[in-house]
Amino acid sequence: MSGNPYVHRPTASPQAAAEWTQRQILMTNLRTVAGRAYPRVRGLAREKSWLFFEILLPFLTTSAFVFVYRALQAPPEYVGFVVLGGAMTAFWLNVIWMMASQLWWEKSQGNLELYFAAPMDIVAVLLGMAVGGMVMSSSRAAVVLVVATVVYGVTFAVDQWLLLLAVFFLTLTALYGLGMVLASLFLMWGREAYHLTQFLQEPVYFVSGLNFPVGRLGMLGALAIALLPLAVGLDAMRQLAFADAAYPVGTPPPEVEALILVVMTVVFLSLARWMLRTLERLARREGRLTIRWQ
Amino acid sequence: MSATAPLAIETHALRRVYRAKPNDVVALDGIDLEVAPGEFFGLLGPNGAGKTTLIKILTTLLLPTTGEARIFGFDVVHQTKQIRRIMNMVAGGEQSGYGILEVREQLWMFSQFYGLGSRDGWRRVDELIDAVGLDEQRRQKVSTLSTGQRQKMNFARGLLNDPWIFFLDEPTLGLDVSAARAVRELILSWKAAVPGRTVLLTSHYMAEVDELCERIAIVDHGRVLAIGSPAELKHRVQRESIFRLELDRLDGGTASLARLPGVVAASAAASDEGNGQGDRQSVSVNLVLEDDAALGGVVGALGGLGAQILALRKSEPTLEDVFVELVGRGFDDAPDASRDETPPQGRAANPQPRREDEPAEEELV
Ligand SMILES: Nc1ncnc2c1ncn2[C@@H]1O[C@H](COP(=O)(O)OP(=O)(O)O)[C@@H](O)[C@H]1O
Ligand SMILES: [Mg+2]
């Protein structure tokens, strides 16, 4: 039946078409991740306003701290801390401003129903959003890192490249796992959750230690390291990137922090998966959540 | 159809109650339906009848409160994955996707959700873009499409996975005449391509349902009032046959016709052929017969009366007549006629006011 645009992959019967192999299921979910990541990569490349938010803003904040530290004659590593923190801000902004409100936005657009009506796992859709966001933010983070390093003359001293790389990736997986959890929360609580994050944004910035070693905060810092992916990740990355500092720059050793990040990743991803299933169940029972107008 | 092949759609005593603020809403109140594979089935009913609720249940997006429903034998409550692999849906006014993407990019994204390979997806997308007549919009941003073009794109999306059953919820809502016609032709060509493809269409456009559907269920207040082919339904309302006769003259008036065997009634009608300004004066008659067979006798008798037939036309009842007879009111004066686009139950007064401090003002992708 080739040549007929209305027949692509003919199946013998609806029953035959409905039974998929494990491989088909897996491939569809993987393709969904790529498919959903695609519009983020494409779309954000096209939407120039995000350049401002994700490159210029972090760079300006970074610069402000650099000048303050220089005026205070802080140890030179502090400028490096700020630059590292500034680069990682790109990911945090992406998670808070895009990941978290994404499902809520998809609902208001009518996309969410189509996602639920398609045969893939909804978790794959959210993973796709996360991967797309990571790719985009990585390029921004790299720009901030390179420009700030050159402009402010930061020197890094890395002994364990592999561990640094691992910690970086684990920070991202934990951070975006948290983003997936937030996305589900937003969908369930809508506006209230949005206001809550807005309210929490500054305090969370502060205890994440974007601009100074979080260990300086004592108990609060320890709590942040136990709960916030960015706080642990940065603390570990700082220790690994400035290995020659004359004083301890982080509290638990980076190996322990890498382990904390693994635990966080697993917990957040499982939580997100569970929440999405719960959401679907609720949506089908209540007739809300996925529907555009409610 | 062999006895063992499952029905495309089968529902038993399907009921759906929405929990709502002042009172719960019974959207479906015991729906029994059987749709065979390959059928083009229509749901006709006013706004609020429960059509969308039924489609949501059949597409696994909503649970029934009680009762059962199966799609090609798969249970809508527990076998959702199987159903999602073989169905697709398009609704009127659908704004899905990401405005910032090009038409083919957006369709490709959806193709991945159905597991088409990356390259296969691009090929399939281009093929469907041509088929729905969007070749000039292929690389256009989705946000710049007209309503009609957007709906064609939605159809291309709906056909990506070669569905065996296609759910269409008011698919021509808000389209102009030519776009609506293009969409209808598209549905028919797609369906004709493979025997067994099934369509469930809801509409409140009578003519559309009449034109497309082989069988129709008329629904109101969550109940099926009648099921049958358009012809059967019309026949049910009107057992007699009605003809419009145009004669050159009629000596003795309509009374002479009313006396003939098989004639229930004959009455003069306003002539619809010119207005008698020339030397030829024609006479129009509405003739109600017991059945079509009585027509032969009437035609023979007219010769005896010296009258010549200029025109003869059978008047068909419309689905509108069927609806009025069944529901007791016209389609447009339905008491709860709220536009479909407005949210149900009192939210119309408060359609999500948008405040400045809220997200999603611009598009997230
Ligand atoms: N999520 C919901 N919550 C409460 N009531 C609803 C909801 N969705 C639909 N309804 C109500 O259920 C009834 C049937 O609605 P619907 O299925 O949309 O009808 P139709 O598609 O035929 O216009 C209406 O009275 C509508 O107001
Ligand atoms: Mg409807």
Side-chain angles (χ1 to χ4, degrees):
Chain A
M1 286 204 129
S2 69
N4 186 336
Y6 298 114
V7 186
H8 182 55
R9 291 192 300 196
T11 43
S13 68
Q15 284 69 33
E19 295 308 334
W20 283 15
T21 60
Q22 284 304 317
R23 195 189 125 79
Q24 250 178 311
I25 293 171
L26 178 70
M27 288 311 288
T28 300
N29 283 329
L30 289 178
R31 284 175 177 140
T32 297
V33 174
R36 185 57 191 81
Y38 180 78
R40 286 206 139 180
V41 177
R42 277 315 280 233
L44 288 177
R46 248 166 230 165
E47 194 65 78
K48 299 291 182 269
S49 71
W50 284 99
L51 281 177
F52 173 76
F53 288 110
E54 293 185 23
I55 293 183
L56 202 59
L57 280 187
F59 184 73
L60 289 180
T61 322
T62 304
S63 304
F65 273 95
V66 168
F67 291 128
V68 170
Y69 283 145
R70 280 188 178 166
L72 292 176
Q73 298 187 318
E77 288 84 13
Y78 269 68
V79 172
F81 298 167
V82 173
V83 169
L84 195 62
M88 294 305 284
T89 313
F91 296 103
W92 183 236
L93 286 176
N94 184 248
V95 164
I96 286 293
W97 290 106
M98 298 196 64
M99 257 330 257
S101 45
Q102 191 73 42
L103 282 181
W104 188 73
W105 184 86
E106 305 274 6
K107 176 186 84 166
S108 62
Q109 201 69 5
N111 290 336
L112 200 55
E113 270 200 313
L114 290 176
Y115 291 165
F116 276 114
M120 76 298 188
D121 204 319
I122 191 77
V123 179
V125 174
L126 220 59
L127 272 176
M129 292 174 190
V131 169
M134 278 185 221
V135 170
M136 279 324 290
S137 302
S138 292
S139 62
R140 273 130 227 233
V143 172
V144 173
L145 189 68
V146 169
V147 171
T149 300
V150 171
V151 170
Y152 300 118
V154 179
T155 44
F156 295 95
V158 184
D159 287 340
Q160 298 165 277
W161 274 105
L162 224 61
L163 187 58
L164 178 61
L165 219 63
V167 166
F168 171 70
F169 279 112
L170 285 170
T171 307
L172 290 198
T173 52
L175 192 58
Y176 279 85
L178 175 64
M180 287 168 69
V181 172
L182 288 178
S184 314
L185 272 181
F186 265 48
L187 183 58
M188 228 179 290
W189 292 337
R191 238 158 265 183
E192 288 74 21
Y194 178 75
H195 290 306
L196 187 71
T197 4
Q198 265 200 325
F199 174 73
L200 284 179
Q201 187 181 334
E202 282 307 320
V204 166
Y205 262 39
F206 181 65
V207 299
S208 287
L210 287 168
N211 303 305
F212 58 91
V214 74
R216 295 287 151 98
L217 293 177
M219 260 317 282
L220 192 59
L223 202 69
I225 284 180
L227 295 174
L228 298 171
L230 204 55
V232 208
L234 269 173
D235 198 65
M237 284 162 74
R238 253 192 310 258
Q239 296 180 55
L240 292 164
F242 303 97
D244 61 348
Y247 52 94
V249 294
T251 349
E255 289 83 1
V256 174
E257 294 187 315
L259 220 64
I260 297 180
L261 285 169
V262 171
V263 173
M264 279 181 174
T265 301
V266 172
V267 169
F268 286 142
L269 285 181
S270 321
L271 194 60
R273 193 176 131 98
W274 174 81
M275 286 182 76
L276 282 168
R277 302 226 157 141
T278 308
L279 270 174
E280 185 180 359
R281 217 183 41 243
L282 273 177
R284 294 176 79 204
R285 203 177 62 206
E286 310 284 330
R288 288 184 294 116
L289 292 174
T290 54
I291 295 174
R292 222 174 136 187
W293 296 110
Q294 294 157 47
Chain B
M1 200 57 45
S2 84
T4 51
L7 290 162
I9 302 174
E10 187 175 12
T11 75
H12 281 297
L14 199 63
R15 214 176 126 80
R16 172 70 212 202
V17 181
Y18 290 108
R19 305 241 152 265
K21 269 168 262 162
N23 294 302
D24 289 355
V25 179
V26 181
L28 296 180
D29 194 9
I31 299 276
D32 293 292
L33 271 188
E34 295 193 345
V35 176
E39 258 193 298
F40 202 128
F41 194 88
L43 289 174
L44 184 63
N47 281 318
K51 305 183 295 294
T52 299
T53 300
L54 180 56
I55 285 209
K56 293 227 151 95
I57 291 177
L58 297 178
T59 53
T60 74
L61 292 173
L62 194 65
L63 291 175
T65 304
T66 54
E68 288 179 34
R70 292 179 172 274
I71 300 295
F72 284 108
F74 298 113
D75 178 51
V76 295
V77 177
H78 298 112
Q79 293 175 295
T80 55
K81 285 282 185 257
Q82 281 89 339
I83 294 174
R84 291 170 188 184
R85 288 166 192 158
I86 57 170
M87 65 95 177
N88 217 315
M89 58 191 227
V90 170
E94 185 182 308
Q95 296 285 318
S96 58
Y98 306 95
I100 200 169
L101 294 182
E102 292 170 3
V103 169
R104 70 192 293 268
E105 293 174 335
Q106 161 143 330
L107 288 172
W108 180 81
M109 177 189 80
F110 278 106
S111 78
Q112 300 306 290
F113 298 168
Y114 290 95
L116 272 70
S118 171
R119 290 244 216 90
D120 190 29
W122 286 117
R123 224 177 309 125
R124 179 70 183 136
V125 162
D126 282 331
E127 198 174 46
L128 280 173
I129 283 177
D130 291 333
V132 303
L134 282 181
D135 33 318
E136 283 172 26
Q137 285 74 36
R138 196 186 307 274
R139 311 222 59 150
Q140 201 170 308
K141 294 249 183 79
V142 168
S143 58
T144 64
L145 295 181
S146 73
T147 316
Q149 290 165 345
R150 190 173 248 288
Q151 195 62 337
K152 288 177 186 168
M153 179 185 68
N154 293 336
F155 267 88
R157 176 193 58 66
L159 299 181
L160 280 167
N161 65 329
D162 284 300
W164 279 95
I165 183 162
F166 205 5
F167 294 94
L168 303 172
D169 197 3
E170 316 240 10
T172 58
L173 192 76
L175 299 191
D176 62 43
V177 178
S178 76
R181 192 188 309 122
V183 160
R184 283 197 291 269
E185 280 165 7
L186 183 66
I187 303 169
L188 288 173
S189 323
W190 167 80
K191 186 175 177 303
V194 175
R197 283 185 173 169
T198 311
V199 179
L200 180 70
L201 171 107
T202 81
S203 183
H204 62 256
Y205 300 134
M206 309 266 181
E208 180 167 287
V209 172
D210 202 350
E211 177 192 331
L212 292 174
C213 299
E214 292 154 355
R215 266 190 335 131
I216 301 171
I218 293 186
V219 288
D220 190 33
H221 294 302
R223 285 182 211 202
V224 175
L225 303 179
I227 296 187
S229 70
E232 281 165 8
L233 289 174
K234 291 176 204 165
H235 185 72
R236 209 174 296 181
V237 226
Q238 202 161 27
R239 254 165 267 284
E240 303 95 352
S241 309
I242 302 177
F243 290 90
R244 166 69 71 93
L245 268 178
E246 205 76 31
L247 304 169
D248 64 338
R249 63 198 177 91
L250 184 60
D251 300 336
T254 54
S256 57
L257 289 179
R259 279 193 297 271
L260 296 171
V263 176
V264 178
S267 56
S271 172
D272 46 17
E273 306 267 312
N275 40 16
Q277 52 187 12
D279 46 1
R280 280 185 62 181
Q281 193 83 26
S282 68
V283 183
S284 293
V285 179
N286 273 342
L287 202 59
V288 181
L289 305 179
E290 278 168 8
D291 53 38
D292 287 2
L295 188 63
V298 174
V299 171
L302 280 171
L305 291 168
Q308 201 184 338
I309 299 174
L310 304 175
L312 171 64
R313 184 161 52 82
K314 186 165 182 181
S315 314
E316 290 285 355
T318 63
L319 282 177
E320 184 108 35
D321 300 325
V322 178
F323 187 85
V324 171
E325 165 122 353
L326 285 169
V327 179
R329 61 171 198 268
F331 221 88
D332 295 325
D333 38 69
D336 46 353
S338 54
R339 300 275 316 280
D340 237 23
E341 295 91 326
T342 57
Q345 300 301 315
R347 281 174 189 270
N350 183 23
Q352 299 233 358
R354 177 146 269 158
R355 299 201 313 248
E356 293 206 332
D357 57 344
E358 306 217 295
E361 192 55 65
E362 59 194 298
E363 184 178 49
L364 296 181
V365 288

